[in-house]
PDB file of all heavy atoms in Angstrom:
ATOM      1  N   GLU V   5      87.293  93.262  84.438  1.00 88.00           N
ATOM      2  CA  GLU V   5      86.083  93.672  85.142  1.00 88.00           C
ATOM      3  C   GLU V   5      85.616  95.047  84.663  1.00 88.00           C
ATOM      4  O   GLU V   5      84.407  95.316  84.578  1.00 88.00           O
ATOM      5  CB  GLU V   5      86.353  93.704  86.646  1.00 88.00           C
ATOM      6  CG  GLU V   5      86.687  92.333  87.229  1.00 88.00           C
ATOM      7  CD  GLU V   5      87.115  92.410  88.681  1.00 88.00           C
ATOM      8  OE1 GLU V   5      86.637  93.316  89.390  1.00 88.00           O
ATOM      9  OE2 GLU V   5      87.935  91.579  89.106  1.00 88.00           O
ATOM     10  N   ILE V   6      86.551  95.916  84.345  1.00 87.00           N
ATOM     11  CA  ILE V   6      86.211  97.260  83.876  1.00 87.00           C
ATOM     12  C   ILE V   6      85.459  97.172  82.548  1.00 87.00           C
ATOM     13  O   ILE V   6      84.481  97.888  82.312  1.00 87.00           O
ATOM     14  CB  ILE V   6      87.481  98.113  83.711  1.00 87.00           C
ATOM     15  CG1 ILE V   6      88.149  98.321  85.082  1.00 87.00           C
ATOM     16  CG2 ILE V   6      87.158  99.463  83.073  1.00 87.00           C
ATOM     17  CD1 ILE V   6      89.451  99.076  85.023  1.00 87.00           C
ATOM     18  N   VAL V   7      85.881  96.265  81.685  1.00 88.00           N
ATOM     19  CA  VAL V   7      85.218  96.086  80.391  1.00 88.00           C
ATOM     20  C   VAL V   7      83.786  95.596  80.596  1.00 88.00           C
ATOM     21  O   VAL V   7      82.849  96.078  79.941  1.00 88.00           O
ATOM     22  CB  VAL V   7      86.009  95.089  79.515  1.00 88.00           C
ATOM     23  CG1 VAL V   7      85.210  94.705  78.290  1.00 88.00           C
ATOM     24  CG2 VAL V   7      87.339  95.699  79.096  1.00 88.00           C
ATOM     25  N   LEU V   8      83.595  94.667  81.515  1.00 91.00           N
ATOM     26  CA  LEU V   8      82.243  94.141  81.759  1.00 91.00           C
ATOM     27  C   LEU V   8      81.303  95.205  82.297  1.00 91.00           C
ATOM     28  O   LEU V   8      80.102  95.193  82.000  1.00 91.00           O
ATOM     29  CB  LEU V   8      82.308  92.973  82.748  1.00 91.00           C
ATOM     30  CG  LEU V   8      82.730  91.608  82.208  1.00 91.00           C
ATOM     31  CD1 LEU V   8      82.562  90.556  83.284  1.00 91.00           C
ATOM     32  CD2 LEU V   8      81.924  91.225  80.973  1.00 91.00           C
ATOM     33  N   GLN V   9      81.825  96.123  83.079  1.00 86.00           N
ATOM     34  CA  GLN V   9      80.982  97.159  83.664  1.00 86.00           C
ATOM     35  C   GLN V   9      80.402  98.099  82.616  1.00 86.00           C
ATOM     36  O   GLN V   9      79.432  98.807  82.874  1.00 86.00           O
ATOM     37  CB  GLN V   9      81.773  97.961  84.702  1.00 86.00           C
ATOM     38  CG  GLN V   9      82.043  97.175  85.978  1.00 86.00           C
ATOM     39  CD  GLN V   9      82.980  97.891  86.938  1.00 86.00           C
ATOM     40  OE1 GLN V   9      83.733  98.769  86.535  1.00 86.00           O
ATOM     41  NE2 GLN V   9      82.936  97.512  88.207  1.00 86.00           N
ATOM     42  N   ASN V  10      80.985  98.098  81.418  1.00 85.00           N
ATOM     43  CA  ASN V  10      80.444  98.913  80.328  1.00 85.00           C
ATOM     44  C   ASN V  10      79.223  98.268  79.686  1.00 85.00           C
ATOM     45  O   ASN V  10      78.528  98.902  78.893  1.00 85.00           O
ATOM     46  CB  ASN V  10      81.513  99.143  79.261  1.00 85.00           C
ATOM     47  CG  ASN V  10      82.634 100.035  79.753  1.00 85.00           C
ATOM     48  OD1 ASN V  10      82.402 100.941  80.554  1.00 85.00           O
ATOM     49  ND2 ASN V  10      83.852  99.787  79.295  1.00 85.00           N
ATOM     50  N   CYS V  11      78.977  97.004  80.017  1.00 90.00           N
ATOM     51  CA  CYS V  11      77.811  96.296  79.499  1.00 90.00           C
ATOM     52  C   CYS V  11      76.609  96.594  80.382  1.00 90.00           C
ATOM     53  O   CYS V  11      76.709  96.591  81.614  1.00 90.00           O
ATOM     54  CB  CYS V  11      78.083  94.794  79.455  1.00 90.00           C
ATOM     55  SG  CYS V  11      76.633  93.790  79.050  1.00 90.00           S
ATOM     56  N   SER V  12      75.453  96.840  79.752  1.00 87.00           N
ATOM     57  CA  SER V  12      74.252  97.179  80.515  1.00 87.00           C
ATOM     58  C   SER V  12      73.870  96.095  81.515  1.00 87.00           C
ATOM     59  O   SER V  12      73.322  96.387  82.581  1.00 87.00           O
ATOM     60  CB  SER V  12      73.086  97.423  79.553  1.00 87.00           C
ATOM     61  OG  SER V  12      72.846  96.262  78.761  1.00 87.00           O
ATOM     62  N   LEU V  13      74.179  94.846  81.200  1.00 92.00           N
ATOM     63  CA  LEU V  13      73.811  93.741  82.081  1.00 92.00           C
ATOM     64  C   LEU V  13      74.508  93.825  83.433  1.00 92.00           C
ATOM     65  O   LEU V  13      73.973  93.376  84.452  1.00 92.00           O
ATOM     66  CB  LEU V  13      74.147  92.410  81.409  1.00 92.00           C
ATOM     67  CG  LEU V  13      73.736  91.135  82.148  1.00 92.00           C
ATOM     68  CD1 LEU V  13      72.224  91.060  82.312  1.00 92.00           C
ATOM     69  CD2 LEU V  13      74.247  89.904  81.419  1.00 92.00           C
TER      70      LEU V  13
END
Side-chain angles (χ1 to χ4, degrees):
E5 296 173 31
I6 296 176
V7 170
L8 280 187
Q9 288 172 339
N10 291 327
C11 172
S12 59
L13 184 62

